[in-house]
Structures are given as C-alpha cells and as structure tokens.
Amino acid sequence: MIDRPAASNDPKVPSFYGEAALAGWKGVIDAVHAAGGKMGPQLWHVGSVPNFFGEWTPPGTVESPSGLVAPGKPRGESMSEEAIADTIAAFGRAAGNAKRLGFDTVELHGAHGYLIDQFFWAGTNLRTDRFGGATVKERSRFAVEVVKSVRAAVGPDFPVILRLSQWKQQDYAVRLADTPDAMADWLVPLVEAGVDVLHCSQRRFWEPEFPEIDGPDGLNFAGWAKKLTRAATISVGSVGLSGDLIASFGGEISKPTSLDNLLRRLDREEFDLIAVGRALLGDPRWVTKVRDGDREGLKDFSPAVLGELV
Ligand SMILES: Cc1cc2nc3c(=O)[nH]c(=O)nc-3n(C[C@H](O)[C@H](O)[C@H](O)COP(=O)(O)O)c2cc1C
C-alpha cells in the first residue's frame, strides 16, 4: 500500500511506507537475494473497492475518481486535484524506496478495478477536468502521471512494470479497449511515460483479445499489447489449471492441465514472460516439477490451500 490514508481496504495487506515497514521490507529483499531470487513489490491503492471479506474500512476517507465504485454505485469521495497530486507523489516515493532498499523492480497495480483502473474506466471516471474525458487516452492521464512520478524517482535503468486488465472485479465483462486502435491509445502513452513491461491480466491466457481480427487462436491481451507498443509484456491466467481464478474464489477445485498452448505461444514470441498464480500458491515445487516433466506430481488446486502456508 502506498502512503495515502485510504490506500488500503484490508489491514492484512502490508504497507510500503513508514520507517518500520520499510525496515521489514529490507529484511525481505535481503533474504530473497540471499536465496538467489529477485523480487519487486506491487504498489497498491485500492480506490473505492471495499474489503473483500467484511466491513473493515481504512482510517482515511475512501477516495476514487468520481465517488463511485462501479457505474451508478456511489462509494467514497471524488478526489480533489490536491488528493490526486499527493497520490501521484506517494506512488513515486514508494517506488524510490523500493529501489533504495535494493528491490529489483517495481510493479504498479493498475488493474482489477482498483484506483488507477477506476480512472481508466468510463463507468467510474466521470471527471470533467484533465483527469477525465470521453476517451481512454484522456482517462489514462492519471496513470501517465503516476508512471512519470515513478520513473523520476527510480531513474532510467530500473525496470518498471504496470499491471493492467480489461476486466474489473466489479464487472468481469467490461472492456477498456474494444479495438486495437483504442488499445494503442490506452497503452502507448503509458509506455512513452516510462513503463518497461506491461503485465496484462487475463483470467484465461489463451483467450484471444480481438478474435474478429485474427481468429479464435489470435493474439491474447499481452500479445496485442506487445504488438501495439513494442514493450515487453507478461501474460497470465489459469496457467496449468482447468478452472480460473474466479471459480477458485467460488470454491471450485482446479485440475492440472497441459502447458502445450502456452509453450506454442511462447515459441511464437506472442509475449515475453508468463506469470503463474494459483499453481504456485498451491505448490511451491510446481516449477521444478514442470521443468523435470513430472506431470504425475502436479497437484489439484484447492482454494483451501489459501488458508495454509505450503
Ligand atoms: C490469493 C490470491 C491473491 C492475489 N493477489 C493479487 C494481488 O495482490 N495483485 C494482483 O495483481 N493479483 C492478485 N491475484 C491475481 C493473480 O495475480 C493472478 O492474476 C490470478 O490468480 C490469475 O492467475 P492464475 O490463474 O495463475 O492463478 C491474486 C490471486 C489469488 C488467488
């Protein structure tokens, strides 16, 4: 969480500001490096999205672009220009601290209906100032300024990742960009502002983004993002598992599945990296098993494992 009074909707999600928290993070990255790993924090401001499990509310006033959490659904206050400027600065400070502590990268959470995404989304951004507008390009100005603030704080050579999604937790069917032109309007300014890597969140990585253009086996979100911006991209979504994230949150058990489709897409250089969520949360040996061809050893993903340290 960045340093804003209502950045968080869950007291269990750690902060990335304040001396004590940053000292803790220093221990984390040193331990990861000692084990040969690399790591970056994902910086959050949840906007007006409420707590996932209950009633917890943050100490500060809940804030969002236009006082909405979804179209026609009020929550929180519309942010003043001053609140916006302070939030942009807070993202920059957090990124600068990540670099200073020795992290290898930083990722900005611009996806899933949280604050940055609430600015992108016409349904939650009704502003008439320079942070709003009829096009996704205009509504990207907040994110562009966040990225510029982050880039200024970390300098030219530190990798900056931005996570984006068409879908929102408030509405899985929403799309910010319905055409490649609209997607270019959305993404190119972000890359020009200083993003190195676009992390393109899908629930199922094999779903084509614009099948009306390149067919049912066409490029996915990360594929189009790479093609349109020439930035490096990360894909994600149900790698190695039969059911998607939302099904898991609903309690469904996912079975291990083939990686052939993923390998084919990596071979054709559709995107540069793949992210793996639940398969790894459920089985820290997943990568080793895949590398060694131990298909029999791959486990089902049961949502119950989220309650355990595995
Ligand atoms: C328990 C849990 C926590 C998650 N937390 C985050 C998060 O903090 N930030 C984020 O961008 N995505 C988060 N996600 C979504 C994952 O990053 C990933 O996009 C999603 O699980 C789809 O990948 P998968 O099908 O491989 O699990 C979370 C998912 C799960 C299951």
Side-chain angles (χ1 to χ4, degrees), residues 116-164:
I116 292 176
D117 203 17
Q118 291 182 350
F119 274 89
F120 289 139
W121 187 13
T124 45
N125 182 351
L126 312 179
R127 300 180 73 95
T128 52
D129 62 6
R130 64 201 181 93
F131 294 103
T135 64
V136 69
K137 186 173 187 171
E138 291 165 295
R139 297 190 304 274
S140 292
R141 181 184 290 271
F142 174 73
V144 163
E145 295 205 6
V146 167
V147 171
K148 284 184 180 163
S149 163
V150 164
R151 181 52 75 199
V154 299
D157 296 328
F158 189 76
V160 173
I161 307 172
L162 175 62
R163 198 167 216 221
L164 300 167

Tab-separated table of all heavy atoms in Angstrom, residues 116-164:
chain	number	residue	atom	x	y	z
A	116	ILE	N	-6.130	3.125	-9.994
A	116	ILE	CA	-5.652	3.540	-11.323
A	116	ILE	C	-6.661	3.091	-12.382
A	116	ILE	O	-6.991	3.828	-13.320
A	116	ILE	CB	-4.234	2.980	-11.581
A	116	ILE	CG1	-3.232	3.658	-10.641
A	116	ILE	CG2	-3.834	3.152	-13.046
A	116	ILE	CD1	-1.798	3.119	-10.733
A	117	ASP	N	-7.189	1.889	-12.212
A	117	ASP	CA	-8.169	1.345	-13.156
A	117	ASP	C	-9.498	2.111	-13.092
A	117	ASP	O	-10.204	2.252	-14.091
A	117	ASP	CB	-8.375	-0.139	-12.831
A	117	ASP	CG	-8.902	-0.944	-14.012
A	117	ASP	OD1	-8.805	-0.464	-15.152
A	117	ASP	OD2	-9.396	-2.056	-13.778
A	118	GLN	N	-9.835	2.623	-11.915
A	118	GLN	CA	-11.073	3.418	-11.795
A	118	GLN	C	-10.948	4.725	-12.592
A	118	GLN	O	-11.954	5.260	-13.046
A	118	GLN	CB	-11.379	3.700	-10.311
A	118	GLN	CG	-11.778	2.431	-9.560
A	118	GLN	CD	-12.136	2.655	-8.095
A	118	GLN	OE1	-11.937	3.724	-7.532
A	118	GLN	NE2	-12.668	1.611	-7.464
A	119	PHE	N	-9.706	5.211	-12.744
A	119	PHE	CA	-9.513	6.367	-13.627
A	119	PHE	C	-9.666	5.950	-15.096
A	119	PHE	O	-10.262	6.667	-15.898
A	119	PHE	CB	-8.138	7.010	-13.386
A	119	PHE	CG	-8.149	8.017	-12.261
A	119	PHE	CD1	-7.908	7.613	-10.956
A	119	PHE	CD2	-8.416	9.354	-12.512
A	119	PHE	CE1	-7.933	8.540	-9.910
A	119	PHE	CE2	-8.446	10.284	-11.475
A	119	PHE	CZ	-8.198	9.869	-10.169
A	120	PHE	N	-9.141	4.781	-15.465
A	120	PHE	CA	-9.254	4.333	-16.868
A	120	PHE	C	-10.711	4.134	-17.301
A	120	PHE	O	-11.079	4.369	-18.445
A	120	PHE	CB	-8.569	2.972	-17.051
A	120	PHE	CG	-7.069	2.961	-16.977
A	120	PHE	CD1	-6.401	1.927	-16.313
A	120	PHE	CD2	-6.312	3.941	-17.604
A	120	PHE	CE1	-5.016	1.883	-16.263
A	120	PHE	CE2	-4.922	3.906	-17.563
A	120	PHE	CZ	-4.274	2.874	-16.891
A	121	TRP	N	-11.521	3.642	-16.353
A	121	TRP	CA	-12.859	3.119	-16.681
A	121	TRP	C	-13.876	4.268	-16.785
A	121	TRP	O	-14.102	5.000	-15.819
A	121	TRP	CB	-13.251	2.136	-15.572
A	121	TRP	CG	-14.508	1.363	-15.768
A	121	TRP	CD1	-15.233	1.238	-16.910
A	121	TRP	CD2	-15.180	0.588	-14.757
A	121	TRP	NE1	-16.313	0.419	-16.691
A	121	TRP	CE2	-16.316	0.005	-15.382
A	121	TRP	CE3	-14.952	0.310	-13.410
A	121	TRP	CZ2	-17.203	-0.819	-14.690
A	121	TRP	CZ3	-15.826	-0.510	-12.722
A	121	TRP	CH2	-16.936	-1.071	-13.356
A	122	ALA	N	-14.532	4.381	-17.945
A	122	ALA	CA	-15.533	5.444	-18.139
A	122	ALA	C	-16.657	5.324	-17.114
A	122	ALA	O	-17.242	6.326	-16.705
A	122	ALA	CB	-16.102	5.361	-19.555
A	123	GLY	N	-16.951	4.103	-16.682
A	123	GLY	CA	-18.047	3.887	-15.729
A	123	GLY	C	-17.774	4.446	-14.345
A	123	GLY	O	-18.703	4.686	-13.573
A	124	THR	N	-16.491	4.641	-13.992
A	124	THR	CA	-16.166	5.166	-12.656
A	124	THR	C	-15.421	6.494	-12.732
A	124	THR	O	-15.148	7.097	-11.703
A	124	THR	CB	-15.304	4.163	-11.852
A	124	THR	OG1	-14.269	3.656	-12.701
A	124	THR	CG2	-16.141	3.015	-11.323
A	125	ASN	N	-15.083	6.930	-13.928
A	125	ASN	CA	-14.410	8.226	-14.072
A	125	ASN	C	-15.302	9.155	-14.885
A	125	ASN	O	-15.335	9.105	-16.106
A	125	ASN	CB	-13.043	8.049	-14.755
A	125	ASN	CG	-12.294	9.365	-14.889
A	125	ASN	OD1	-12.848	10.437	-14.630
A	125	ASN	ND2	-11.039	9.287	-15.311
A	126	LEU	N	-16.034	10.009	-14.153
A	126	LEU	CA	-16.949	10.964	-14.804
A	126	LEU	C	-16.381	12.373	-14.734
A	126	LEU	O	-17.105	13.359	-14.919
A	126	LEU	CB	-18.318	10.931	-14.100
A	126	LEU	CG	-18.936	9.553	-13.846
A	126	LEU	CD1	-20.280	9.702	-13.115
A	126	LEU	CD2	-19.140	8.797	-15.153
A	127	ARG	N	-15.105	12.479	-14.450
A	127	ARG	CA	-14.497	13.799	-14.221
A	127	ARG	C	-14.530	14.659	-15.482
A	127	ARG	O	-14.423	14.144	-16.602
A	127	ARG	CB	-13.048	13.647	-13.747
A	127	ARG	CG	-12.914	12.864	-12.460
A	127	ARG	CD	-11.461	12.748	-12.049
A	127	ARG	NE	-10.958	14.014	-11.553
A	127	ARG	CZ	-10.914	14.354	-10.265
A	127	ARG	NH1	-11.330	13.524	-9.337
A	127	ARG	NH2	-10.447	15.529	-9.904
A	128	THR	N	-14.628	15.955	-15.239
A	128	THR	CA	-14.625	16.875	-16.377
A	128	THR	C	-13.328	17.679	-16.422
A	128	THR	O	-13.164	18.544	-17.271
A	128	THR	CB	-15.834	17.832	-16.296
A	128	THR	OG1	-15.833	18.433	-14.998
A	128	THR	CG2	-17.143	17.096	-16.508
A	129	ASP	N	-12.407	17.398	-15.467
A	129	ASP	CA	-11.113	18.088	-15.514
A	129	ASP	C	-10.141	17.295	-16.388
A	129	ASP	O	-10.546	16.390	-17.119
A	129	ASP	CB	-10.567	18.321	-14.092
A	129	ASP	CG	-10.313	17.008	-13.349
A	129	ASP	OD1	-10.445	15.926	-13.965
A	129	ASP	OD2	-9.984	17.055	-12.146
A	130	ARG	N	-8.851	17.594	-16.297
A	130	ARG	CA	-7.895	16.944	-17.205
A	130	ARG	C	-7.659	15.468	-16.867
A	130	ARG	O	-6.962	14.773	-17.610
A	130	ARG	CB	-6.578	17.729	-17.225
A	130	ARG	CG	-5.864	17.744	-15.922
A	130	ARG	CD	-4.865	18.900	-15.817
A	130	ARG	NE	-4.200	18.832	-14.529
A	130	ARG	CZ	-3.055	18.201	-14.344
A	130	ARG	NH1	-2.415	17.641	-15.340
A	130	ARG	NH2	-2.522	18.150	-13.133
A	131	PHE	N	-8.235	14.956	-15.765
A	131	PHE	CA	-8.099	13.540	-15.445
A	131	PHE	C	-9.279	12.708	-15.944
A	131	PHE	O	-9.332	11.501	-15.736
A	131	PHE	CB	-7.911	13.357	-13.932
A	131	PHE	CG	-6.610	13.943	-13.465
A	131	PHE	CD1	-6.570	15.156	-12.796
A	131	PHE	CD2	-5.411	13.286	-13.733
A	131	PHE	CE1	-5.361	15.703	-12.388
A	131	PHE	CE2	-4.195	13.822	-13.327
A	131	PHE	CZ	-4.174	15.037	-12.657
A	132	GLY	N	-10.238	13.352	-16.592
A	132	GLY	CA	-11.369	12.624	-17.160
A	132	GLY	C	-11.453	12.864	-18.653
A	132	GLY	O	-10.556	13.476	-19.242
A	133	GLY	N	-12.513	12.362	-19.284
A	133	GLY	CA	-12.682	12.594	-20.720
A	133	GLY	C	-13.392	11.434	-21.378
A	133	GLY	O	-13.577	10.369	-20.775
A	134	ALA	N	-13.763	11.648	-22.626
A	134	ALA	CA	-14.561	10.643	-23.329
A	134	ALA	C	-13.729	9.462	-23.807
A	134	ALA	O	-14.262	8.379	-24.034
A	134	ALA	CB	-15.248	11.304	-24.530
A	135	THR	N	-12.411	9.652	-23.956
A	135	THR	CA	-11.576	8.568	-24.495
A	135	THR	C	-10.702	7.966	-23.399
A	135	THR	O	-10.370	8.630	-22.411
A	135	THR	CB	-10.640	9.099	-25.599
A	135	THR	OG1	-9.741	10.041	-24.990
A	135	THR	CG2	-11.432	9.787	-26.709
A	136	VAL	N	-10.304	6.707	-23.627
A	136	VAL	CA	-9.441	6.041	-22.645
A	136	VAL	C	-8.085	6.742	-22.587
A	136	VAL	O	-7.421	6.768	-21.550
A	136	VAL	CB	-9.339	4.523	-22.940
A	136	VAL	CG1	-8.575	4.235	-24.211
A	136	VAL	CG2	-8.730	3.771	-21.762
A	137	LYS	N	-7.702	7.371	-23.682
A	137	LYS	CA	-6.446	8.126	-23.694
A	137	LYS	C	-6.518	9.279	-22.681
A	137	LYS	O	-5.590	9.495	-21.909
A	137	LYS	CB	-6.203	8.673	-25.102
A	137	LYS	CG	-4.878	9.333	-25.276
A	137	LYS	CD	-4.674	9.688	-26.732
A	137	LYS	CE	-3.260	10.195	-26.962
A	137	LYS	NZ	-2.971	10.342	-28.369
A	138	GLU	N	-7.642	9.987	-22.669
A	138	GLU	CA	-7.799	11.091	-21.709
A	138	GLU	C	-7.855	10.559	-20.275
A	138	GLU	O	-7.260	11.134	-19.372
A	138	GLU	CB	-9.081	11.880	-22.015
A	138	GLU	CG	-9.013	12.660	-23.318
A	138	GLU	CD	-10.393	13.120	-23.775
A	138	GLU	OE1	-11.254	12.268	-24.092
A	138	GLU	OE2	-10.605	14.337	-23.810
A	139	ARG	N	-8.548	9.435	-20.106
A	139	ARG	CA	-8.696	8.900	-18.749
A	139	ARG	C	-7.411	8.221	-18.261
A	139	ARG	O	-7.326	7.834	-17.098
A	139	ARG	CB	-9.899	7.947	-18.699
A	139	ARG	CG	-11.233	8.641	-18.995
A	139	ARG	CD	-12.418	7.739	-18.712
A	139	ARG	NE	-12.336	6.488	-19.433
A	139	ARG	CZ	-12.766	6.283	-20.673
A	139	ARG	NH1	-13.358	7.251	-21.344
A	139	ARG	NH2	-12.623	5.097	-21.244
A	140	SER	N	-6.434	8.074	-19.167
A	140	SER	CA	-5.137	7.499	-18.780
A	140	SER	C	-4.204	8.547	-18.189
A	140	SER	O	-3.113	8.204	-17.740
A	140	SER	CB	-4.447	6.869	-19.996
A	140	SER	OG	-5.145	5.744	-20.427
A	141	ARG	N	-4.605	9.790	-18.180
A	141	ARG	CA	-3.668	10.843	-17.741
A	141	ARG	C	-3.182	10.610	-16.303
A	141	ARG	O	-2.006	10.806	-15.998
A	141	ARG	CB	-4.315	12.220	-17.838
A	141	ARG	CG	-3.352	13.325	-17.408
A	141	ARG	CD	-4.041	14.669	-17.415
A	141	ARG	NE	-4.332	15.104	-18.757
A	141	ARG	CZ	-3.499	15.828	-19.518
A	141	ARG	NH1	-2.326	16.150	-19.050
A	141	ARG	NH2	-3.844	16.188	-20.719
A	142	PHE	N	-4.092	10.169	-15.420
A	142	PHE	CA	-3.677	9.914	-14.037
A	142	PHE	C	-2.557	8.863	-14.027
A	142	PHE	O	-1.504	9.057	-13.407
A	142	PHE	CB	-4.880	9.454	-13.200
A	142	PHE	CG	-4.518	9.038	-11.803
A	142	PHE	CD1	-4.164	9.988	-10.847
A	142	PHE	CD2	-4.527	7.700	-11.435
A	142	PHE	CE1	-3.815	9.604	-9.550
A	142	PHE	CE2	-4.184	7.312	-10.144
A	142	PHE	CZ	-3.828	8.264	-9.197
A	143	ALA	N	-2.783	7.751	-14.744
A	143	ALA	CA	-1.769	6.685	-14.770
A	143	ALA	C	-0.464	7.187	-15.384
A	143	ALA	O	0.624	6.864	-14.904
A	143	ALA	CB	-2.306	5.489	-15.557
A	144	VAL	N	-0.581	7.988	-16.433
A	144	VAL	CA	0.626	8.529	-17.076
A	144	VAL	C	1.417	9.355	-16.055
A	144	VAL	O	2.642	9.239	-15.946
A	144	VAL	CB	0.238	9.373	-18.318
A	144	VAL	CG1	1.385	10.271	-18.754
A	144	VAL	CG2	-0.194	8.456	-19.464
A	145	GLU	N	0.696	10.148	-15.266
A	145	GLU	CA	1.413	10.986	-14.285
A	145	GLU	C	1.998	10.147	-13.152
A	145	GLU	O	3.075	10.450	-12.636
A	145	GLU	CB	0.503	12.101	-13.779
A	145	GLU	CG	0.172	13.042	-14.938
A	145	GLU	CD	-0.187	14.456	-14.536
A	145	GLU	OE1	-0.086	14.803	-13.337
A	145	GLU	OE2	-0.573	15.222	-15.438
A	146	VAL	N	1.294	9.076	-12.783
A	146	VAL	CA	1.856	8.146	-11.781
A	146	VAL	C	3.152	7.537	-12.332
A	146	VAL	O	4.178	7.487	-11.649
A	146	VAL	CB	0.839	7.039	-11.427
A	146	VAL	CG1	1.512	5.912	-10.646
A	146	VAL	CG2	-0.325	7.610	-10.617
A	147	VAL	N	3.101	7.094	-13.573
A	147	VAL	CA	4.285	6.461	-14.172
A	147	VAL	C	5.436	7.465	-14.253
A	147	VAL	O	6.589	7.133	-13.925
A	147	VAL	CB	3.949	5.898	-15.573
A	147	VAL	CG1	5.213	5.450	-16.294
A	147	VAL	CG2	2.950	4.748	-15.461
A	148	LYS	N	5.145	8.699	-14.634
A	148	LYS	CA	6.219	9.711	-14.720
A	148	LYS	C	6.839	9.964	-13.338
A	148	LYS	O	8.051	10.112	-13.209
A	148	LYS	CB	5.663	11.025	-15.275
A	148	LYS	CG	5.430	10.978	-16.776
A	148	LYS	CD	4.976	12.353	-17.259
A	148	LYS	CE	4.731	12.352	-18.758
A	148	LYS	NZ	3.939	13.506	-19.193
A	149	SER	N	5.982	9.993	-12.319
A	149	SER	CA	6.465	10.212	-10.954
A	149	SER	C	7.361	9.045	-10.524
A	149	SER	O	8.428	9.235	-9.922
A	149	SER	CB	5.237	10.362	-10.048
A	149	SER	OG	5.535	10.199	-8.712
A	150	VAL	N	6.935	7.841	-10.857
A	150	VAL	CA	7.717	6.640	-10.520
A	150	VAL	C	9.044	6.656	-11.283
A	150	VAL	O	10.116	6.420	-10.720
A	150	VAL	CB	6.887	5.379	-10.838
A	150	VAL	CG1	7.748	4.123	-10.898
A	150	VAL	CG2	5.772	5.236	-9.802
A	151	ARG	N	8.975	6.959	-12.560
A	151	ARG	CA	10.203	6.961	-13.382
A	151	ARG	C	11.182	8.012	-12.857
A	151	ARG	O	12.389	7.765	-12.776
A	151	ARG	CB	9.831	7.193	-14.856
A	151	ARG	CG	10.979	7.209	-15.823
A	151	ARG	CD	11.896	5.993	-15.731
A	151	ARG	NE	11.326	4.790	-16.303
A	151	ARG	CZ	11.776	3.549	-16.017
A	151	ARG	NH1	12.785	3.358	-15.184
A	151	ARG	NH2	11.204	2.497	-16.550
A	152	ALA	N	10.652	9.179	-12.481
A	152	ALA	CA	11.539	10.228	-11.960
A	152	ALA	C	12.204	9.757	-10.666
A	152	ALA	O	13.365	10.072	-10.399
A	152	ALA	CB	10.745	11.508	-11.719
A	153	ALA	N	11.481	8.964	-9.870
A	153	ALA	CA	12.025	8.530	-8.581
A	153	ALA	C	13.061	7.422	-8.727
A	153	ALA	O	13.963	7.311	-7.903
A	153	ALA	CB	10.888	8.056	-7.675
A	154	VAL	N	12.937	6.575	-9.747
A	154	VAL	CA	13.836	5.404	-9.849
A	154	VAL	C	14.931	5.577	-10.898
A	154	VAL	O	15.848	4.762	-10.966
A	154	VAL	CB	13.057	4.095	-10.136
A	154	VAL	CG1	12.079	3.790	-9.004
A	154	VAL	CG2	12.344	4.130	-11.487
A	155	GLY	N	14.833	6.630	-11.721
A	155	GLY	CA	15.848	6.838	-12.752
A	155	GLY	C	15.606	5.962	-13.961
A	155	GLY	O	14.670	5.150	-13.991
A	156	PRO	N	16.459	6.102	-14.995
A	156	PRO	CA	16.170	5.487	-16.290
A	156	PRO	C	16.359	3.968	-16.367
A	156	PRO	O	15.749	3.322	-17.207
A	156	PRO	CB	17.155	6.189	-17.244
A	156	PRO	CG	18.237	6.727	-16.361
A	156	PRO	CD	17.627	6.988	-15.020
A	157	ASP	N	17.200	3.394	-15.480
A	157	ASP	CA	17.595	1.990	-15.702
A	157	ASP	C	16.888	0.976	-14.815
A	157	ASP	O	17.257	-0.198	-14.805
A	157	ASP	CB	19.119	1.847	-15.509
A	157	ASP	CG	19.865	2.657	-16.554
A	157	ASP	OD1	19.340	2.786	-17.672
A	157	ASP	OD2	20.940	3.181	-16.225
A	158	PHE	N	15.929	1.395	-14.044
A	158	PHE	CA	15.261	0.483	-13.105
A	158	PHE	C	13.965	-0.008	-13.748
A	158	PHE	O	13.149	0.800	-14.195
A	158	PHE	CB	14.962	1.256	-11.811
A	158	PHE	CG	14.482	0.418	-10.670
A	158	PHE	CD1	15.365	-0.365	-9.941
A	158	PHE	CD2	13.137	0.427	-10.301
A	158	PHE	CE1	14.927	-1.127	-8.872
A	158	PHE	CE2	12.689	-0.325	-9.231
A	158	PHE	CZ	13.590	-1.106	-8.511
A	159	PRO	N	13.771	-1.346	-13.820
A	159	PRO	CA	12.578	-1.847	-14.531
A	159	PRO	C	11.266	-1.502	-13.824
A	159	PRO	O	11.103	-1.771	-12.636
A	159	PRO	CB	12.770	-3.364	-14.553
A	159	PRO	CG	14.105	-3.643	-14.002
A	159	PRO	CD	14.612	-2.426	-13.297
A	160	VAL	N	10.361	-0.908	-14.573
A	160	VAL	CA	9.031	-0.551	-14.050
A	160	VAL	C	7.982	-1.372	-14.803
A	160	VAL	O	7.916	-1.336	-16.034
A	160	VAL	CB	8.746	0.955	-14.220
A	160	VAL	CG1	7.310	1.288	-13.833
A	160	VAL	CG2	9.726	1.780	-13.392
A	161	ILE	N	7.185	-2.111	-14.033
A	161	ILE	CA	6.113	-2.944	-14.595
A	161	ILE	C	4.778	-2.291	-14.247
A	161	ILE	O	4.616	-1.759	-13.146
A	161	ILE	CB	6.151	-4.371	-13.975
A	161	ILE	CG1	7.544	-4.993	-14.110
A	161	ILE	CG2	5.087	-5.270	-14.616
A	161	ILE	CD1	7.701	-6.314	-13.351
A	162	LEU	N	3.844	-2.334	-15.174
A	162	LEU	CA	2.484	-1.841	-14.902
A	162	LEU	C	1.507	-2.975	-15.169
A	162	LEU	O	1.496	-3.551	-16.255
A	162	LEU	CB	2.164	-0.654	-15.821
A	162	LEU	CG	0.741	-0.105	-15.755
A	162	LEU	CD1	0.397	0.437	-14.361
A	162	LEU	CD2	0.539	0.998	-16.801
A	163	ARG	N	0.708	-3.308	-14.146
A	163	ARG	CA	-0.298	-4.365	-14.332
A	163	ARG	C	-1.623	-3.743	-14.736
A	163	ARG	O	-2.107	-2.801	-14.110
A	163	ARG	CB	-0.489	-5.183	-13.060
A	163	ARG	CG	-1.170	-6.494	-13.379
A	163	ARG	CD	-1.109	-7.471	-12.227
A	163	ARG	NE	-0.965	-8.813	-12.749
A	163	ARG	CZ	-1.609	-9.883	-12.274
A	163	ARG	NH1	-2.391	-9.779	-11.241
A	163	ARG	NH2	-1.437	-11.059	-12.821
A	164	LEU	N	-2.193	-4.291	-15.808
A	164	LEU	CA	-3.439	-3.767	-16.381
A	164	LEU	C	-4.397	-4.917	-16.647
A	164	LEU	O	-3.972	-6.057	-16.849
A	164	LEU	CB	-3.143	-3.094	-17.722
A	164	LEU	CG	-2.168	-1.925	-17.708
A	164	LEU	CD1	-1.744	-1.585	-19.129
A	164	LEU	CD2	-2.790	-0.720	-17.027
